[in-house]
Amino acid sequence: MKKWRFVSVLFSVMFLFAMAATAAADTTYVVQWGDTLAAIARRFNTTYTAIAQANNILNPNLIYAGQTLIIPTGGGGTPPPPTPPPAPGPGTTYTVQPGDTLYRISLRFGVTVQAIAQANGIANVNIIYVGQVLQIPGGGTTPPPPAPGPTTMGLGGQTQSLGHPDLMNHAGMTWVKFQHKWAPGDDPGALAGAIQQGRSNGFKVLYSITGANVYPQPNSIDFNAFVNFVRGVASLAAPPDAIEIWNEMNIDFEWPAGQIDPASYVNNMLKPAYTAIKGVNSNVLVISGAPAPTGFDNGTNAWADNRYIAGMAAAGAASYMDCIGVHHNAGATAPGATSGHPGGSHYSWYYQATRDLYYNAFGGARQVCFTELGYLSGEGFGGLPANFSWAAGTSVAEQAQWLAEAYTLSANSGRVRLLIIYNVDFTLYDPNGDPQAGYAMLRPNGTCPACDSLSNVTP
């Protein structure tokens, strides 16, 4: 955070009086659906930067319906009534749907991204939101109706070897997630085989790219080398469909202790990685690294994920991602529940609270992508590790039911773009450490109840 320089008491008092006088002459405006800061500024004959400064808005592309803004007009009085949007003329209007991007909308109507942006006063072409009404210049083509909710969201599973594509297909999955533990000097081409394997089995591919070293030392992340690597991955002849930029960077297991900082992540990694990827292939979906869901926060070894994502938003992360990475892997209640978890009332224990926290942190400017969502069941194993005792009461039948419910809630919310289940078929089960296989849909006896439950709710 920036620290304010001290000024004289006299200057401070004069400044406060001046601000009070200005505020008395200003007016307010409640943001409506479809508004942009530029359009509001034109309505009140001011500038979008003046409104942003008056309201401490760090990113002028992030406002939301219902937000009350101070309008520094200097004149006061009753604000003019909202003017209707300009007549489309030879064009038409389009309401943004879940999963839309300005690029996809431009292709649908046969116009350019720049033309739509200019017609709607959009300063950053990467930021539109569900429900926003866009003026489409020229053409006049009526867009096709939006697809039903469940088909607008991708469903996939994380796997180590893609050994059971038949089960994944039965579950309705269309995505597969792989993870690469990157180190400087790695060859992007090493990922081509897994990508090809996923594609040949009919899946879109998400590659999560994170660091090879656990508990990395201070200043040990070579940001330039990492950015060059993801650029190389996006440049492959058959690149992945999506790339997740790092993993759980709010804890010292994945990011150097004492250097955990969302602004550093955004400015040193996410922003340059996004720019590099889009520079070589604009079709690759860029997902921000999902923080570890935790309430522990000592500022050195970990930041609570709610504080971390607020810092990401303040650093402008929404401009450098297509989707917000989220993990939810500590549930022990049905996804629709809001209480009853053995661990307590913290939001991270509950699906809906976690989903809405991440979505709302960015004002609805981006949908969320669950790059890990799973329910742990120790059934069929020799007991759970002590740190995972909260899942002791979860049966395999509940795991299957809850995964199907999580899918349905996600698909119908309009807030989720991608849901990756953790996991499909991991086999490692350490009763004293990491119970990965307890999360697996494929159980030790060879059955997959979750595959059947998901098949019943997926298209």
Side-chain angles (χ1 to χ4, degrees):
M1 295 179 63
K2 295 181 179 177
K3 295 182 178 179
W4 297 103
R5 295 185 175 92
F6 289 101
V7 295
S8 70
V9 174
L10 177 61
F11 179 83
S12 298
V13 173
M14 292 172 63
F15 177 79
L16 290 172
F17 272 107
M19 289 299 292
T22 301
D26 291 337
T27 188
T28 60
Y29 174 74
V30 178
V31 177
Q32 307 297 313
W33 281 109
D35 275 342
T36 65
L37 219 53
I40 296 169
R42 287 195 297 270
R43 179 178 300 165
F44 287 93
N45 195 29
T46 184
T47 66
Y48 77 88
T49 54
I51 300 176
Q53 290 171 359
N55 293 273
N56 295 319
I57 297 174
L58 298 177
N59 187 334
N61 298 297
L62 291 180
I63 57 174
Y64 54 88
Q67 182 178 5
T68 300
L69 298 177
I70 297 171
I71 308 297
T73 61
T78 304
T83 55
T92 187
T93 61
Y94 175 73
T95 302
V96 177
Q97 303 297 316
D100 275 342
T101 66
L102 219 54
Y103 175 72
R104 290 178 181 174
I105 296 170
S106 72
L107 293 179
R108 177 176 297 171
F109 287 94
V111 297
T112 66
V113 169
Q114 291 73 20
I116 299 176
Q118 184 174 4
N120 293 274
I122 296 174
N124 187 327
V125 296
N126 296 302
I127 295 183
I128 56 175
Y129 55 85
V130 175
Q132 183 176 5
V133 178
L134 298 176
Q135 296 290 325
I136 308 297
T141 304
T142 302
T151 62
T152 63
M153 184 192 75
L155 174 68
Q158 183 169 351
T159 180
Q160 292 176 320
S161 62
L162 195 52
H164 302 89
D166 53 335
L167 294 178
M168 295 174 67
N169 282 316
H170 174 59
M173 293 180 175
T174 56
W175 283 77
V176 61
K177 174 190 171 182
F178 299 109
Q179 188 173 72
H180 178 74
K181 301 280 190 174
W182 165 84
D186 282 0
D187 179 7
L191 279 58
I195 297 170
Q196 176 56 37
Q197 182 188 17
R199 291 274 175 74
S200 64
N201 281 282
F203 297 108
K204 294 182 177 181
V205 177
L206 161 62
Y207 240 115
S208 176
I209 303 177
T210 188
N213 297 325
V214 299
Y215 297 106
Q217 295 300 305
N219 303 312
S220 63
I221 300 176
D222 188 335
F223 295 112
N224 289 333
F226 177 82
V227 170
N228 286 332
F229 180 80
V230 297
R231 179 188 289 111
V233 173
S235 299
L236 293 172
D241 299 275
I243 298 175
E244 183 179 18
I245 308 300
W246 216 257
N247 178 71
E248 300 194 342
M249 55 282 180
N250 62 320
I251 58 174
D252 61 0
F253 188 79
E254 302 273 3
W255 199 273
Q259 296 180 339
I260 297 171
D261 177 8
S264 173
Y265 167 71
V266 170
N267 293 318
N268 294 320
M269 181 174 283
L270 181 63
K271 178 179 178 178
Y274 177 92
T275 303
I277 291 168
K278 296 297 185 179
V280 296
N281 192 328
S282 61
N283 293 321
V284 175
L285 187 75
V286 177
I287 305 174
S288 62
T294 180
F296 177 68
D297 190 331
N298 66 2
T300 299
N301 303 96
W303 280 39
D305 59 321
N306 62 338
R307 184 163 78 101
Y308 194 91
I309 60 172
M312 286 177 57
S319 297
Y320 306 106
M321 61 184 180
D322 299 309
C323 199
I324 309 160
V326 187
H327 285 174
H328 178 62
N329 46 29
T333 58
T338 57
S339 63
H341 193 290
S345 60
H346 192 264
Y347 63 82
S348 63
W349 298 120
Y350 301 95
Y351 159 80
Q352 290 190 112
T354 298
R355 180 197 69 196
D356 294 345
L357 170 73
Y358 279 73
Y359 181 81
N360 291 330
F362 295 88
R366 289 287 178 269
Q367 292 174 287
V368 302
C369 284
F370 283 98
T371 56
E372 286 185 16
L373 185 146
Y375 291 95
L376 172 62
S377 174
E379 186 178 331
F381 296 96
L384 289 169
N387 290 342
F388 295 85
S389 60
W390 44 263
T394 302
S395 67
V396 169
E398 286 173 319
Q399 180 200 54
Q401 176 187 341
W402 295 348
L403 286 173
E405 184 178 335
Y407 170 83
T408 301
L409 289 173
S410 297
N412 292 335
S413 71
R415 298 186 167 196
V416 183
R417 185 167 183 172
L418 180 63
L419 175 61
I420 299 293
I421 291 175
Y422 178 84
N423 60 73
V424 176
D425 52 7
F426 285 19
T427 57
L428 172 68
Y429 192 92
D430 181 356
N432 299 310
D434 193 349
Q436 294 178 4
Y439 284 94
M441 295 166 56
L442 181 62
R443 305 307 297 182
N445 62 4
T447 64
C448 187
C451 296
D452 296 329
S453 66
L454 283 165
S455 178
N456 291 331
V457 297
T458 52

